[in-house]
Amino acid sequence: MSAKNLKHPDMTRGMRGTVVTLTGLVWLAAAGPLSAQAGEGQVSLPTGTQAPDAVLQDLDGNDVQLLDYADGKPTLIEFWASWCEQCEGLQPEIDEVQADFGEQVNVVAVAVAVAQSLRRVRRHAEAHGAEYPYLWDASGDAVRAYSATTTSIVVILDAEGKVAYTGVGPDQDLVGAVSGLLSGE
């Protein structure tokens, strides 16, 4: 459906929202299949894989490299959207990781460009007082690089930039995963 058709006078605002959401879901599905890895709840890249880099934007619209935010420390990356209920359910766990391990681990939220705008992401980050960076994946580079075909996917990298954990949904034990990584389990 073209953008012109989205402005058709017979189309209600709710219909436009549904079309945009469905278009976004098709876009996510086109990024690649969601595949389970060895171990329950693991998705995205296989454990031990060297993390790929991706060009994103900070909330001021400047191009940045995702792996610059790893900075030689273990890093938790969440693929996130403001409209994602599972992401909202996962938020307390991510906040706890930040509070408990913020000096030892980097946390980065990657906002997917599906049914949300950079402005909306910026407002959400400001309203929630996030103590870690939110990055905007305008072109889907990070989504494709990390095979993040849905939101609420978390990838934890070790200090060498290798995938140490992947999971999806609000029931992840991220505090346990980070604690285990830091203790060498």
Side-chain angles (χ1 to χ4, degrees):
M1 178 169 275
S2 74
K4 182 178 180 182
N5 291 341
L6 285 175
K7 294 181 181 179
H8 190 279
D10 292 336
M11 184 177 272
T12 67
R13 183 179 213 168
M15 290 170 68
R16 282 191 292 274
T18 300
V19 169
V20 169
T21 300
L22 289 174
T23 302
L25 292 174
V26 168
W27 179 80
L28 277 175
L34 181 64
S35 58
Q37 303 299 324
E40 188 175 337
Q42 292 189 356
V43 295
S44 184
L45 301 174
T47 302
T49 302
Q50 187 64 43
D53 208 354
V55 176
L56 303 164
Q57 292 178 341
D58 63 19
L59 294 187
D60 294 324
N62 302 309
D63 285 350
V64 296
Q65 297 293 130
L66 177 58
L67 292 183
D68 286 349
Y69 289 82
D71 196 28
K73 294 196 304 192
T75 303
L76 182 151
I77 303 168
E78 180 195 19
F79 289 87
W80 169 92
S82 59
W83 46 261
C84 172
E85 291 179 19
Q86 291 192 48
C87 300
E88 192 66 29
L90 190 57
Q91 193 63 55
E93 190 79 13
I94 293 173
D95 290 343
E96 189 172 345
V97 167
Q98 177 64 33
D100 292 353
F101 305 106
E103 294 295 318
Q104 300 165 293
V105 175
N106 296 317
V107 175
V108 179
V110 174
V112 300
V114 176
Q116 66 181 352
S117 64
L118 177 56
R119 183 175 152 201
R120 186 173 177 185
V121 171
R122 190 180 304 117
R123 281 193 319 241
H124 179 89
E126 289 169 1
H128 286 80
E131 296 183 23
Y132 49 85
Y134 278 69
L135 302 176
W136 174 242
D137 192 13
S139 64
D141 283 352
V143 164
R144 285 187 297 281
Y146 283 79
S147 299
T149 57
T150 189
T151 52
S152 78
I153 286 181
V154 173
V155 178
I156 300 176
L157 309 178
D158 65 17
E160 287 77 44
K162 292 188 178 175
V163 176
Y165 169 92
T166 62
V168 64
D171 298 325
Q172 299 177 66
D173 179 12
L174 300 177
V175 172
V178 169
S179 180
L181 177 63
L182 292 174
S183 68
E185 293 178 6

